[in-house]
């Protein structure tokens, strides 16, 4: 997998195309959150069909996409820029971060 090529991309309910490169995905699954290895499809689903989306309290360009999986959530943290965006990180959690909810599945 090329480190600079887009590894995957997904369009969100906010009409943002969120992407990550192969190199950055490797960094996430090797360094930041190894539990996310082989969970690309779950991350794509979370971006395409989240249960809800929150805007970061600290950075108005950062959005957190949550999807319930069992008794936990997959959280995909993204930065929105110029209509598109990229993944900052992704992880599994049992706590939802504070922030304004900007979208919820109806």
């Amino acid at each position: 997998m090329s480190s600079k090529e887009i590894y995957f991309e997904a369009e969100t309910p906010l009409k943002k195309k969120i992407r990550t490169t192969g190199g950055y995905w490797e960094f996430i699954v090797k360094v930041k959150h190894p539990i996310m290895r082989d969970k690309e499809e779950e991350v794509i689903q979370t971006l395409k069909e989240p249960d809800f989306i929150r805007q970061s309290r600290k950075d108005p360009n950062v959005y957190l996409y949550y999807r319930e999986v069992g008794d936990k959530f997959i959280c995909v943290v993204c930065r929105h820029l110029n209509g598109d965006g990229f993944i900052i990180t992704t992880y599994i959690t049992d706590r939802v971060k504070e922030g304004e909810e900007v979208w919820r599945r109806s």
Side-chain angles (χ1 to χ4, degrees):
M1 135 178 37
S2 167
S3 64
K4 299 213 187 290
E5 285 182 28
I6 292 177
Y7 181 50
F8 64 81
E9 183 177 76
E11 186 168 338
T12 75
L14 301 178
K15 302 296 181 213
K16 304 288 184 187
K17 285 187 180 164
I18 305 295
R19 68 191 178 287
T20 192
T21 63
Y24 196 74
W25 181 256
E26 283 296 307
F27 174 68
I28 289 171
V29 300
K30 285 184 176 174
V31 177
K32 294 175 103 175
H33 299 286
I35 195 166
M36 298 308 291
R37 178 175 303 287
D38 299 323
K39 295 200 178 344
E40 291 93 333
E41 283 305 314
E42 290 91 332
V43 170
I44 291 168
Q45 271 313 110
T46 300
L47 290 169
K48 287 181 173 180
E49 299 178 6
D51 291 324
F52 55 93
I53 304 168
R54 291 188 168 218
Q55 187 175 27
S56 168
R57 286 177 52 198
K58 295 179 183 167
D59 184 337
N61 294 315
V62 172
Y63 291 77
L64 296 87
Y65 293 76
Y66 287 94
R67 191 166 61 86
E68 200 167 348
V69 179
D71 62 344
K72 299 202 183 304
F73 293 94
I74 289 181
C75 178
V76 185
V77 183
C78 304
R79 178 174 300 281
H80 290 183
L81 291 172
N82 304 327
D84 290 333
F86 58 89
I87 293 175
I88 295 171
T89 194
T90 181
Y91 53 91
I92 295 172
T93 185
D94 55 4
R95 287 196 6 229
V96 173
K97 295 265 191 215
E98 290 183 21
E100 180 187 348
E101 187 170 283
V102 295
W103 185 91
R104 180 172 283 271
R105 177 188 308 284
S106 51

